Amino acid sequence: MTGSDLGSTFSRRQFNTAAAVTVLGAAGLLGGSLSRAVTAASPRPLEVSLAAAVPNRVYRITARERARVTDAPKHEFRGFWLSSVVNIDWPSRSGLTAAVQQTELRGWLDLARSRNLNAVMLQVRPAGDVFWPSTVGEPWSRYLTGTQGRNPGYDPLAYAVSQAHARNLHLHAWFNPFRAGMTANLVDLISWHPARKNPSWTFAYGGRRYYNPGIPAVRSFIIKVIAEVVAKYDVDGVHLDDYFYPYPVTGQSIPDSAAYNAYRLPGESLANFRRRSVNVFVRDLSARIAATKPRMLFGISPFGIWRNQSTDSRGSATSGFQSYDGIFADSRLWVKQGWLDYVVPQLYWHQGNPAADYNTLVNWWSAQVSGTSCKLYIGEAAYKVGDPAQGADWQDRRELYNHTAKCRATARVSGQVYFSAKSVRANKLGSIGLVKDKYYKRVSMTPVMSHLGAQRPYTPVISSARWNGSGVELIWRGSNSGTLPRHYAIYRWEAKADSSAFIPSQAGALRRVHRRRGNPEKFVDTGVVRGRTYWYVVVGLSDLMVESAAASAIFIRA
């Protein structure tokens, strides 16, 4: 099946309204200029040559460090899935008070920060019910209050966005698109649930109730549900999991013959009809997101095997379950058509697995995103570590550590996401701690998404840096006009006065990725040694993590 089977094609790039004003990438080491502000308050610092850094003066710099291989990459997606279905992670059980739910959520976000992660995938629509006050028609989730449709007394999604952003974390709203209920019985849903009002939209299978992807009205409705979040909330992305058509259940057939007979194309097989239905949904959802907020990210975490090479020469050298055939998810097509900004294949196998080797699949997915604008993050089975039922390989505390080494060494792999949050917290066998101590020692920025808009934000200007009794208090301002940064990167390193400042290409000196809150901004660095000298550099970042053309720097004695 190709993109032409869907009629018109669509790429996320078509909705990019921001002009690409500059070619992105690191210049040569000290290839730019180092310039100086006449006074700290000067709005337009004069560019002058510099023989030695003058303490407490503010400089405008454009020099960029040459890119190099490092254990501290500047851009890397690091996240975990925070599951709400059947209260896997959050809330820990249904019926908790709003205050307790909020306390638990803050704890999860603090955990992400403590592990130097930078993103959380929060499940906000687990089973045809939602974590925000929807006006589209779906009820409050039963996993909040214990009763579907009961108001929890606050807006969990709005609270999660504000708390994540306060901690400089990206929050992606995670939707399960076609699950309508965790039981097969419609009467288990609230009386005004869309599935009960439109029973022909659904089918029962494997003890669950599902929306039928083959019905155009169903696809339109679910897109409308998701589009409400895109329009109303400051989430950093829309995220779908791997559930499209349900996973096969032995001895059962999906009862969708009526939809097939009503909506199939001439000569179209049932399998191709199902795949086309899912493809149209992904394409149309991508277009709706881009039309509503052109710079909003859209990603999917598909099952890790698209097809085996023995079935399709384009497939991977594996012999496992094929999502293309088993759940009708043509994830390779979504990447190739440009419908996704990122893909997170769930590679929940160990290195050396005979049916689905982790390394083989990392290489295969890397090849699939080659030549596209789609970023690749790898989904990791943190939940398998230390579980005797998963076999001997998952008793090795270095399994995830070795996965990260493989990801770092593979072209086009830009990060990892762990399932799920409680396994990150449990840190069985110390496996997550090993990854953090070696690979996540420094914070990092999420990957640059310049395909949705490469315009650089205005350069910030440091106002002051001084010892405040406990650390260096750094204050800076953004521009009063033009494109304001959405984030700031703050670097600090120890140096002598005869050294030059530059914009680093790696995160060895990165102290904080700071989301814009006001003007001026402040950061207190308690990691310095009193009496030593340091460079501080502040870089502006757009919402898509594009750097400002220049940075503001100051040389001080702590």
Side-chain angles (χ1 to χ4, degrees):
M1 186 179 224
T2 66
S4 61
D5 295 318
L6 303 180
S8 62
T9 59
F10 153 78
S11 169
R12 298 271 292 162
R13 301 179 191 178
Q14 293 173 312
F15 281 85
N16 175 19
T17 58
V21 299
T22 184
V23 177
L24 302 180
L29 180 61
L30 302 185
S33 62
L34 182 64
S35 55
R36 188 182 74 194
V38 177
T39 67
S42 174
R44 292 186 180 180
L46 299 176
E47 298 207 0
V48 297
S49 60
L50 181 69
V54 178
N56 303 317
R57 276 191 172 164
V58 177
Y59 298 88
R60 183 180 188 275
I61 60 171
T62 58
R64 281 179 158 78
E65 180 187 25
R66 184 174 290 111
R68 56 191 174 93
V69 177
T70 173
D71 277 347
K74 188 157 78 169
H75 294 281
E76 183 173 61
F77 197 93
R78 305 172 186 167
F80 60 53
W81 282 286
L82 189 60
S83 304
S84 59
V85 68
V86 298
N87 301 107
I88 289 175
D89 295 316
W90 179 76
S92 60
R93 59 182 175 84
S94 60
L96 298 175
T97 66
V100 173
Q101 289 181 14
Q102 291 171 357
T103 297
E104 286 189 352
L105 179 60
R106 293 194 302 271
W108 287 119
L109 300 176
D110 289 341
L111 172 68
R113 280 297 309 275
S114 72
R115 297 295 187 190
N116 279 342
L117 308 183
N118 53 29
V120 171
M121 274 59 176
L122 174 62
Q123 192 173 31
V124 298
R125 184 178 180 267
D129 49 12
V130 299
F131 275 54
W132 73 94
S134 177
T135 61
V136 175
E138 289 199 312
W140 285 107
S141 177
R142 69 176 74 248
Y143 304 118
L144 290 166
T145 63
T147 302
Q148 192 172 70
R150 180 181 293 173
N151 192 323
Y154 74 112
D155 184 338
L157 178 53
Y159 186 77
V161 169
S162 66
Q163 292 298 311
H165 289 176
R167 290 162 174 77
N168 305 310
L169 294 167
H170 290 240
L171 189 86
H172 290 234
W174 164 21
F175 302 82
N176 182 287
F178 295 110
R179 187 162 57 208
M182 291 298 285
T183 68
N185 296 326
L186 282 171
V187 294
D188 291 337
L189 305 175
I190 196 168
S191 62
W192 48 269
H193 194 287
R196 287 192 67 174
K197 293 167 66 175
N198 302 277
S200 64
W201 283 7
T202 74
F203 57 76
Y205 182 80
R208 303 278 190 265
R209 177 65 55 170
Y210 296 95
Y211 284 113
N212 190 337
I215 299 175
V218 166
R219 299 194 296 265
S220 296
F221 172 72
I222 296 171
I223 289 171
K224 187 176 180 182
V225 170
I226 296 173
E228 180 180 44
V229 168
V230 175
K232 293 183 178 180
Y233 291 88
D234 188 25
V235 295
D236 298 287
V238 167
H239 182 75
L240 303 185
D241 53 33
D242 57 316
Y243 291 94
F244 295 95
Y245 279 88
Y247 280 85
V249 176
T250 302
Q252 296 189 31
S253 300
I254 297 173
D256 63 344
S257 58
Y260 171 59
N261 291 329
Y263 301 112
R264 67 180 175 181
L265 299 177
E268 188 175 38
S269 69
L270 177 60
N272 281 337
F273 166 75
R274 290 172 177 169
R275 268 187 293 275
R276 180 173 60 84
S277 298
V278 174
N279 291 339
V280 168
F281 170 75
V282 172
R283 180 200 65 188
D284 291 353
L285 175 59
S286 184
R288 180 67 174 270
I289 292 167
T292 304
K293 283 186 180 173
R295 297 160 75 87
M296 173 70 68
L297 303 183
F298 175 41
I300 295 178
S301 57
F303 183 79
I305 298 174
W306 173 70
R307 297 190 97 183
N308 298 313
Q309 199 173 72
S310 58
T311 303
D312 188 320
S313 61
R314 299 169 299 173
S316 52
T318 52
S319 56
F321 176 82
Q322 303 175 115
S323 59
Y324 178 96
D325 305 274
I327 55 175
F328 311 99
D330 194 353
S331 49
R332 182 179 181 274
L333 177 72
W334 311 335
V335 169
K336 297 296 186 182
Q337 288 296 316
W339 299 337
L340 305 182
D341 299 304
Y342 66 89
V343 64
V344 194
Q346 296 174 24
L347 304 192
Y348 292 175
W349 299 278
H350 59 80
Q351 291 180 327
N353 185 294
D357 172 54
Y358 177 89
N359 292 351
T360 297
L361 283 162
V362 169
N363 293 339
W364 186 87
W365 280 100
S366 172
Q368 304 319 301
V369 301
S370 179
T372 77
S373 60
C374 185
K375 293 290 190 295
L376 172 61
Y377 317 139
I378 302 300
E380 299 285 354
Y383 71 94
K384 288 189 174 182
V385 175
D387 181 355
Q390 300 298 331
D393 293 279
W394 288 103
Q395 310 314 305
D396 182 355
R397 66 193 302 261
R398 294 177 65 88
E399 183 69 32
L400 291 181
Y401 177 96
N402 293 336
H403 287 197
T404 308
K406 171 61 180 175
C407 288
R408 287 278 182 90
T410 305
R412 295 176 291 276
V413 178
S414 300
Q416 293 163 283
V417 184
Y418 297 88
F419 188 84
S420 68
K422 69 179 182 183
S423 297
V424 173
R425 182 174 64 187
N427 187 27
K428 287 187 177 180
L429 308 181
S431 59
I432 296 293
L434 275 179
V435 173
K436 196 257 186 179
D437 292 344
K438 170 64 175 178
Y439 294 109
Y440 298 169
K441 288 186 293 187
R442 293 291 184 197
V443 295
S444 68
M445 299 173 240
T446 55
V448 179
M449 293 289 186
S450 56
H451 67 286
L452 295 180
Q455 187 165 356
R456 296 188 186 273
Y458 274 54
T459 302
V461 177
I462 294 172
S463 303
S464 66
R466 66 180 185 86
W467 182 263
N468 70 357
S470 61
V472 171
E473 182 182 82
L474 186 69
I475 297 176
W476 69 95
R477 291 182 177 275
S479 171
N480 291 323
S481 63
T483 303
L484 277 170
R486 181 67 183 271
H487 312 268
Y488 298 96
I490 305 163
Y491 300 90
R492 178 262 293 164
W493 64 90
E494 189 173 356
K496 302 296 185 182
D498 60 355
S499 66
S500 295
F502 53 87
I503 301 171
S505 68
Q506 46 85 41
L510 184 62
R511 304 297 151 179
R512 184 180 178 91
V513 183
H514 181 96
R515 183 175 287 261
R516 190 187 77 235
R517 294 175 176 82
N519 209 8
E521 305 276 356
K522 182 172 74 172
F523 167 61
V524 178
D525 183 4
T526 59
V528 296
V529 177
R530 184 74 164 138
R532 294 186 181 177
T533 52
Y534 300 91
W535 273 112
Y536 280 89
V537 174
V538 180
V539 183
L541 303 167
S542 75
D543 53 344
L544 301 171
M545 309 311 286
V546 176
E547 289 185 332
S548 53
S552 190
I554 190 170
F555 180 80
I556 70 159
R557 181 178 298 277

